[in-house]
Amino acid sequence: DQQVKQNSPSLSVQEGRISILNCDYTNSMFDYFLWYKKYPAEGPTFLISISSIKDKNEDGRFTVFLNKSAKHLSLHIVPSQPGDSAVYFCAASALGDDKIIFGKGTRLHILP
Amino acid sequence: GAGVSQSPRYKVAKRGQDVALRCDPISGHVSLFWYQQALGQGPEFLTYFQNEAQLDKSGLPSDRFFAERPEGSVSTLKIQRTQQEDSAVYLCASSLARGGLQPQHFGDGTRLSIL
């Protein structure tokens, strides 16, 4: 039973436009959410995180939105650049629990 | 380097052999995690150390899997009597402090293939 769901296996976006990656979760105990980016043959790289006490966190071109009532979060990348082509993992952890639960990932293709 | 280092990068073993995978965390990082990533899936938690103490091993799939971190820095994941379903990428991650609100920093993984 997946606790973190990324329902879009892949997404293609034109360079310069906004990329929106979505994630849903089922565990109401999750209070910390993260996005990781992964290139082939490399480990996941931390991108941005958000605590459950916030509904938005922004870092440069990356913004994460959290809707707790809907158990939904999204990552916005604007403007999208060719180097953003990668697999993006949504992840979550619960208070007092140190492990991270990952989704299956969404492969983002930025088109020239 | 300043990142998490894993060795070997690739490991091929015959079914039934034992393997050992090494992780060097970022210096000063208290917490160390092991994950298993199957093809097309996200990383799945295996086990967690805080310093030398193994605080959570709930994700280890069987008693053939064993992890240690005897001096609170380098960690080894050992798989005994390997089976084909053990083929995966094994990722190690470390973080500065225990739990919550601390992002984990990952190594590039060891790709294990069992023939």
Side-chain angles (χ1 to χ4, degrees):
Chain A
D1 185 29
Q2 271 201 295
Q3 298 185 66
V4 178
K5 300 178 184 179
Q6 294 178 258
N7 293 320
S8 298
S10 67
L11 175 67
S12 294
V13 174
Q14 208 75 33
E15 182 180 353
R17 305 294 289 266
I18 183 171
S19 295
I20 300 175
L21 296 97
N22 293 302
C23 177
D24 298 292
Y25 61 96
T26 58
N27 188 344
S28 57
M29 298 302 292
F30 286 151
D31 70 335
Y32 182 52
F33 304 89
L34 311 93
W35 284 94
Y36 281 83
K37 175 180 178 180
K38 186 181 182 305
Y39 293 121
E42 295 184 9
T45 301
F46 170 72
L47 200 55
I48 192 169
S49 63
I50 188 167
S51 163
S52 60
I53 63 173
K54 294 185 173 182
D55 55 17
K56 176 182 173 181
N57 189 26
E58 191 172 353
D59 184 0
R61 296 186 298 114
F62 303 92
T63 303
V64 55
F65 295 92
L66 175 62
N67 182 334
K68 284 173 54 181
S69 61
K71 293 192 177 68
H72 177 83
L73 64 156
S74 61
L75 175 67
H76 293 211
I77 307 173
V78 56
S80 301
Q81 297 176 355
D84 296 331
S85 293
V87 177
Y88 288 79
F89 290 101
C90 173
S93 68
L95 183 66
D97 192 356
D98 301 285
K99 64 178 176 280
I100 292 177
I101 307 298
F102 284 84
K104 290 188 176 182
T106 296
R107 183 176 298 278
L108 176 64
H109 300 270
I110 303 302
L111 307 172
Chain B
V4 177
S5 177
Q6 292 188 246
S7 60
R9 286 297 313 275
Y10 303 92
K11 177 69 178 177
V12 179
K14 292 183 178 179
R15 186 165 56 93
Q17 287 183 330
D18 298 347
V19 298
L21 313 179
R22 177 187 169 104
C23 172
D24 282 86
I26 294 172
S27 178
H29 278 198
V30 168
S31 299
L32 184 146
F33 303 80
W34 284 99
Y35 292 84
Q36 180 190 62
Q37 185 176 17
L39 194 62
Q41 304 294 314
E44 291 197 5
F45 171 80
L46 293 177
T47 187
Y48 156 64
F49 291 85
Q50 184 186 2
N51 296 307
E52 69 278 2
Q54 189 174 19
L55 298 186
D56 187 343
K57 54 182 181 179
S58 62
L60 296 176
S62 78
D63 58 7
R64 297 186 296 104
F65 286 71
F66 172 76
E68 59 184 6
R69 193 186 185 197
E71 297 179 359
S73 56
V74 171
S75 177
T76 304
L77 177 67
K78 297 179 180 178
I79 309 173
Q80 297 177 325
R81 305 181 303 280
T82 52
Q83 300 178 4
Q84 283 194 318
E85 62 261 30
D86 300 335
S87 296
V89 175
Y90 290 85
L91 293 163
C92 176
S94 68
S95 67
L96 188 59
R98 180 177 183 180
L101 308 182
Q102 291 286 342
Q104 296 176 18
H105 301 273
F106 283 80
D108 288 338
T110 294
R111 181 175 296 276
L112 176 64
S113 298
I114 305 300
L115 304 179

